[in-house]
Each structure stands twice: as C-alpha cells, then as structure tokens.
Amino acid sequence: MNLLLKVNSHLLHEQHNKVYNTKEFQERLQIFTENKRKIEKHNAGNHSFTMGLNQFSDMTFVEFKKSFLVSEPQNCSATKGNYRSSNGPHPDSIDWRNKGDFVTPVKNQGSCGSCWTFSTTGCLESVTAINTGKLMSLSEQQLVDCAQDFNNHGCDGGLPSQAFEYILYSKGLMTDETYPYKAYEDTCKYKPDQAAAFVKSVVNITEYDEMGMEDAVATRNPVSFAFEVTSDFMQYSHGVYTSTECHRTSDKVNHAVLAVGYGKENGSPYWIVKNSWGYGWGDNGYFLIERGKNMCGLAACSSFPEV
C-alpha cells in the first residue's frame, strides 16, 4: 500500500470509525481519494468558504443525497405569508446562542431524511426558551412517526411549517427523553399528557422575503428555513458558503435547517445556521451562508411558531 493510501485509510478508519470488508474498502477509498482531490482543488482557489474531509467523505453525492437529504422536492405553500415585519432598525449582527440559554446543542439526524424535524424542534426549543426561560430538547421522533397527515413523510422529508401545524393540531410535542430519536419511521406513540411544548399559531414568512426573515431573527427568535444542498456543501468546513450550482426556487429545496443569527465577514453578509449532521460536520455543526441573495432558495419557505 503506497503512502497516500495509508494516510487516506487511516483517516477513514481512525477519524470517522469506518469499517469495511476488503472489496468495499477499495471502492470507498477510491471515492474518498476523489473527494479529497476536489477539496484540495477548491481550497487552492479563491473562494469565500473552505471545504474539508468529514464523515461523508467516503460517499458519492448521489449516495449522500439518498441517505441525508429529502427525496422529494418540498413545495412550500407560503407564497403570501402572515408575518408582519417590525420595520424597526435591525442590529448589524445577532447570534441567539450568545443572548442566553436559547439554543440546544447540535443534534445528528443520522441516515434518515428527517432534517425537517430537527429544524422544527430547534426552532420550537428556541422560541419556547425565549418566551418561558426554559430550554429543553424536544422529540424529532414524534414528528417522524406521527405528522404524516400534515403532508410530511418521515425519513423521506417534510417541512417545518407543516410540522408546526401538526404540533398545533395535536396539542403538543414530547421531549427527546420521553420520545427518543431512532432515525427510522415507527408507529406513533404520542402521549398528549406528556407533551412539554406547545404551538399557539404558525407564522409563515412570505416566499422569497429574505428581509422578513432578517427582521424575524433580529426582533423575535431563530427561524426555520429550507434550501437546496448541492455537492460542494457536503464537504463544507468554514467561511461563508455560496454556490453557482444551486437553484433559488421553492421546488428545489431539499434540506431544512435553523437560522440562529446573522452578521458580516469581510463585507459579505451571512446567516449563522444550525445544521443536524452532528458536531463533526462544518464549523462544529454550524455553517454560514450568504445573506441577501436568496442563496440556494433559502428564503423560499421560512417559518416559526408562536407559543
């Protein structure tokens, strides 16, 4: 085995706990080496973000999409939202993680297209904490198992706005502790008497109104949104993500996340975003993405609950 193979196999095995049989090892090593080449080429260029090796580096983007992104495009319905902008002046930057105990730690959805549930719980956790002073970790699994009547599809996708409607209708969401996450769809075991968080109404921000999103994050709370993930995002490491590959329309979004703040870096405005791929991905589980240009359709369907 040459030195390059030795180094790469060490990265696969030691850093990401990957174990394969001999045939699969060669295939994975080839994919990993190709991804490594792409990362090095990108990082040698002039870009606003860097890429890096992570737990997905032994996968093709097709495989990654199948396991971690929603399989069907999520058509957002809020062409005309019900959010009323404050029209007040906004701070130049805000980060709800620094304003108090308002954001739960980064979680990991595993190989289930349940990002929409993590965006939903993350937002409801924060809104509840801001309004009551109590931060708790809420159940994604309840949404995976129980929210199908609201046009959600378990591990095959859904939308936070629809999940908030489900929580409103079902009169509550249980905690992670009482209804733990499994990363696969199971029968619904919701117990209303054990509900810990509630939704009074659902606020949808008008489609493509990124200034409305900014106003909500500045004056109210973190906001759930969806966008389109393309191949270079899989290996994102640091910096302000921008893409020339992705679309900016609501019919292409395939991943839901949580905007916890915004700011500016070297004159580039960005969103601070909590992801659900664990701490080992990106910037300790977070990423920055360009703000003000509806990058990858991020302003296509944003929402939050009132409690």
Side-chain angles (χ1 to χ4, degrees):
M1 190 184 279
N2 68 32
L3 183 61
L4 179 65
L5 291 183
K6 269 188 179 172
V7 169
N8 287 352
S9 61
H10 171 80
L11 284 164
L12 285 167
H13 181 67
E14 299 296 328
Q15 289 187 14
H16 302 297
N17 300 315
K18 304 277 186 172
V19 179
Y20 318 99
N21 63 40
T22 310
K23 182 177 179 291
E24 194 187 8
F25 177 76
Q26 290 302 328
E27 289 168 7
R28 292 291 148 205
L29 192 56
Q30 200 174 352
I31 294 165
F32 180 86
T33 306
E34 182 53 36
N35 279 332
K36 193 163 179 284
R37 227 180 263 128
K38 282 181 194 164
I39 290 165
E40 285 165 356
K41 186 182 174 189
H42 172 92
N43 291 346
N46 183 23
H47 299 282
S48 59
F49 71 100
T50 59
M51 290 164 70
L53 295 168
N54 59 32
Q55 71 268 41
F56 307 132
S57 298
D58 64 338
M59 303 174 83
T60 66
F61 184 60
V62 171
E63 290 171 326
F64 173 79
K65 255 174 43 171
K66 198 175 171 186
S67 290
F68 297 96
L69 301 177
V70 301
S71 51
E72 295 296 321
Q74 305 301 297
N75 283 308
C76 313
S77 54
T79 45
K80 183 77 180 81
N82 57 343
Y83 178 68
R84 287 190 180 163
S85 193
S86 72
N87 296 319
H90 303 159
D92 290 339
S93 64
I94 187 170
D95 186 343
W96 281 98
R97 295 173 298 177
N98 302 333
K99 287 176 73 69
D101 199 15
F102 297 142
V103 181
T104 57
V106 169
K107 301 181 187 182
N108 195 335
Q109 69 187 67
S111 54
C112 163
S114 55
C115 55
W116 60 280
T117 70
F118 288 84
S119 177
T120 301
T121 58
C123 196
L124 183 55
E125 287 161 354
S126 291
V127 173
T128 303
I130 290 162
N131 283 274
T132 67
K134 190 180 176 189
L135 182 68
M136 56 191 148
S137 184
L138 298 173
S139 173
E140 292 80 27
Q141 194 64 40
Q142 181 183 329
L143 299 173
V144 169
D145 294 346
C146 309
Q148 281 75 354
D149 288 349
F150 289 77
N151 197 29
N152 297 307
H153 315 284
C155 285
D156 293 324
L159 284 173
S161 57
Q162 293 161 179
F164 295 137
E165 295 286 357
Y166 157 76
I167 298 163
L168 173 64
Y169 176 82
S170 64
K171 297 185 170 56
L173 188 66
M174 290 163 67
T175 64
D176 250 345
E177 196 179 350
T178 54
Y179 201 147
Y181 187 63
K182 295 178 179 175
Y184 61 85
E185 192 175 329
D186 207 347
T187 52
C188 181
K189 300 176 183 68
Y190 172 51
K191 295 173 181 166
D193 60 320
Q194 291 184 25
F198 307 89
V199 169
K200 196 169 67 181
S201 60
V202 183
V203 181
N204 289 304
I205 297 165
T206 298
E207 191 175 41
Y208 307 130
D209 179 11
E210 199 168 349
M211 281 305 295
M213 283 175 69
E214 188 178 308
D215 184 79
V217 172
T219 63
R220 301 281 294 269
N221 43 251
V223 166
S224 288
F225 73 88
F227 73 113
E228 186 192 5
V229 166
T230 51
S231 60
D232 56 354
F233 187 76
M234 181 172 106
Q235 309 284 353
Y236 169 90
S237 177
H238 292 88
V240 180
Y241 178 78
T242 63
S243 173
T244 51
E245 275 183 58
C246 64
H247 303 82
R248 303 190 184 197
T249 52
S250 60
D251 61 328
K252 298 290 185 187
V253 301
N254 58 11
H255 188 50
V257 287
L258 183 68
V260 300
Y262 62 79
K264 245 184 198 179
E265 186 178 275
N266 301 325
S268 292
Y270 60 75
W271 291 103
I272 304 164
V273 190
K274 183 187 184 187
N275 203 354
S276 52
W277 296 340
Y279 278 104
W281 180 88
D283 191 354
N284 293 316
Y286 280 81
F287 66 96
L288 307 179
I289 186 168
E290 188 173 9
R291 173 169 55 98
K293 293 185 181 173
N294 184 31
M295 181 56 63
C296 300
L298 65 81
C301 40
S302 53
S303 59
F304 64 90
E306 290 180 317
V307 299

